[in-house]
Every structure is written in C-alpha cells, then in structure tokens.
Amino acid sequence: MARRPEAQHLAKQVTMRQLEIFLTVAELGGVVQAAEKLHLSQPSVSIQLRKLTETLGLPLYEIVGRQLTLTEAGHRMQDTCREVLDTFDRLDCDINDLKGLRAGRLRLAVDPSAKYFLPQLLGPFMAQYPGIDVDFVEGKRSDLLERLNEDRDDLYIFNHLPTGLDINHFPFLPNPLVVVANKEHALAKKKQLGLSQLSEERMLLRGQGSGSRLALDEFLTAQNIKLNRTMELDSSEAIRLSVKAGIGVGVLSAYALVNAHTEGLVKLNVKGFPLTTHWHIIHRRQKKLSTVAASFLQFVLDEAEQHLPMEQIHARMQQAVH
C-alpha cells in the first residue's frame, strides 16, 4: 500500500537525530537537561527542535513559566519517536546477538540506592565483555514504574517488589533497613529498644512510594505501630546528614552506610530490625531480552555474591555505624 504524500514528506524531512533529540527533551522536560544528556549545546538542540516543528507545521510543546508541556501533536510525536527508536534498538540488539557479546548496549533503570553496589557488579561484567556499552538511569520509584510500563529499558532494579504487574523478577541481594541516630541522642545509650519507643521520636524517612518506605510501612502496620512525628526526605544521603545533625532518628538501607562518612552515628538496637527486604532485578514478562541483557541478568544471579561477598558486606555495615 502506497504511503500518503504527507507521510512520504515527513519520512524524507525528519531525521533520526531530530527524533532522538525531541524524545530526550520530552522525557526530561527541558532543553537544558536534554542538551546535557546528549552532550550538545543548547542552541543545537533548539535548532533541531525548530526544524522538526517547521516540518510538522504544528507546535510540539509550549513553555508556561519554566515548565515545558507537550501539545497534542507533541504527545503523538513522542509516541512515534519511541516506536521508531525502539524498532532500531531491536534491530541493533538482533545484529549484536548475531555478533555474540563482542558488542551491544545494556539499558538499566535503578533505584538510587543501587549506586552503593551496582558499580561493583558492572565493573567485572564490563571487564569480561569490554565491547559492551551500558546506559543506566537512577529514578524514584514512580519514575521507574513509568519506564517499566513503557518498556523503555532492558532491566530494572527495585528495592521493593512492584505488585500487580506482568513481570519476571529475581531477588538477588538482601537489603537490610536499620535505625540510626546521632551518638549523642538519648536513645543511643539504650541497649535494647521496642518499636513503641520510636513512636514519639521525629523519624526521618524516605518519601511515600519509595521502596524502603513501603517496606517500613508494611512492617509497622503488621506490628500495629504508628509513628506520630515523621519528616520525609528525598534521599538516603539527606537522611544520613540530617541524623548526623541531630534532627531526628532515621531509617536507612544499610548499604547507604557502607562507604559513607558515618562518624557520629550509631545503629540503634530496635526490636524487629534490621528489617530485611530484597533487591530485585526485573523485566517485563513478554520482553525478549537481548543477549547482552540476558547475560547480565545471569551474571547477577550467578555471581553477585562473588563480587559482593555477603560476610564482608555485613561486617562493613557494622563497622560503618559504630
């Protein structure tokens, strides 16, 4: 079936680079962010956006204040960009599969706390397969779920298993949550604490929806304990620094304490803690994994403990908070 003349016009005028630039702007919400990610100047990004807009003959986005908002045409273009670029990504994966593991790209999306161990897994994997390139993004849980629903990456690492999704998931590493206080805090002198003793403290927690917060809330609900004073912070690092400043008592993944400067902090001996959840590596059930992605998944499941020996990790965790 012959394509319509206007479709032929778009196919001749629109470039792959323009599609990549527009999709990056749409996903990151701004020209500045897209230019940084693509290692381009802001004027270069703006020029390509203008050319794409002129080719379509409709505005793709509008700026209200400092907020970039896609128009209806922009949303349709975003969907088309993903479809076209995903098709070429699949072709790239198929070609690389024919080459084996000499070349290819691995796309990961991970919870920010995974940065405390992920480099130690990527390092030996990439040393074993030096032709492999890796792209990984960090994002809050809601961002990862959006990317997972849109199937934008090969594999995802969550610290609390999503529910209600058609996924394959593989637990590969324990994720202990610990309660930490400034060493001068009154509770620091207690040898044993009950959960009820935390209920009146100012508790420094990750925001609603984060993996560690979900695990904590489930635990507290099961124990029929309610925290009366909570303060939500965006990152484990913010919690650690706030605890150190004496603002309150924090709940953190023990991994956040392994390589951090933790002088002045003590781990509280609270009944029920450490609260052990697990890190999961996930992909959509219907996704056909590339040779690279399947190899990394198997590498993590087979060798994570070899590159992250658990006895040493637990010992370092203990040392980090004493």
Side-chain angles (χ1 to χ4, degrees), residues 66-103:
R66 295 187 176 181
Q67 183 70 35
L68 184 147
T69 303
L70 296 183
T71 62
E72 178 61 28
H75 283 294
R76 296 192 182 190
M77 175 57 73
Q78 182 182 35
D79 292 340
T80 299
C81 289
R82 284 178 179 160
E83 183 177 351
V84 171
L85 294 174
D86 283 348
T87 298
F88 274 88
D89 279 345
R90 287 194 295 273
L91 175 61
D92 187 46
C93 288
D94 290 342
I95 296 300
N96 286 321
D97 284 349
L98 295 176
K99 297 177 182 177
L101 281 178
R102 297 194 306 274

Side-chain angles (χ1 to χ4, degrees), residues 109-294:
V110 306
D111 181 279
S113 296
K115 65 187 176 187
Y116 296 111
F117 62 82
L118 185 58
Q120 298 175 63
L121 298 180
L122 285 175
F125 179 75
M126 296 176 73
Q128 189 173 351
Y129 304 108
I132 301 301
D133 293 321
V134 177
D135 290 335
F136 79 88
V137 297
E138 298 177 7
K140 58 185 180 181
R141 187 178 179 86
S142 59
D143 293 335
L144 296 189
L145 289 172
E146 180 180 347
R147 296 182 71 94
L148 176 61
N149 284 324
E150 295 173 351
D151 200 19
R152 288 163 58 185
D153 309 279
D154 297 315
L155 297 167
Y156 302 81
I157 295 179
F158 282 81
N159 66 359
H160 191 72
L161 186 65
T163 58
L165 298 176
D166 189 22
I167 57 175
N168 288 332
H169 61 92
F170 308 88
F172 68 95
L173 200 62
N175 182 38
L177 301 180
V178 296
V179 184
V180 181
N182 184 290
K183 68 177 183 180
E184 302 300 329
H185 194 284
L187 294 182
K189 300 177 175 60
K190 304 288 185 180
K191 292 184 178 181
Q192 180 72 45
L193 294 168
L195 282 172
S196 60
Q197 291 174 273
L198 299 180
S199 61
E200 297 303 323
E201 295 294 327
R202 181 185 291 110
M203 299 297 299
L204 309 180
L205 310 173
R206 290 289 304 276
Q208 294 284 347
S210 70
S212 59
R213 181 64 178 273
L214 287 169
L216 177 64
D217 287 347
E218 290 173 2
F219 173 70
L220 294 175
T221 298
Q223 300 298 317
N224 197 29
I225 295 293
K226 181 179 179 181
L227 301 177
N228 296 318
R229 303 172 65 198
T230 62
M231 179 175 173
E232 295 183 356
L233 297 167
D234 287 338
S235 67
S236 297
E237 184 69 4
I239 292 176
R240 186 182 66 82
L241 292 174
S242 297
V243 171
K244 189 173 181 179
I247 294 174
V249 174
V251 176
L252 288 170
S253 167
Y255 288 96
L257 302 172
V258 170
N259 292 316
H261 184 68
T262 54
E263 292 180 5
L265 301 183
V266 293
K267 180 170 65 68
L268 301 182
N269 189 12
V270 180
K271 184 178 180 180
F273 286 84
L275 178 61
T276 300
T277 60
H278 283 84
W279 289 100
H280 295 260
I281 191 164
I282 291 170
H283 66 83
R284 289 171 63 105
R285 191 182 304 276
Q286 70 271 27
K287 187 177 186 68
K288 177 186 175 182
L289 292 181
S290 67
T291 298
V292 173

Side-chain angles (χ1 to χ4, degrees), residues 292-306:
V292 173
S295 297
F296 181 72
L297 172 60
Q298 198 61 51
F299 172 85
V300 169
L301 298 181
D302 290 345
E303 300 188 32
E305 292 192 7
Q306 172 183 332

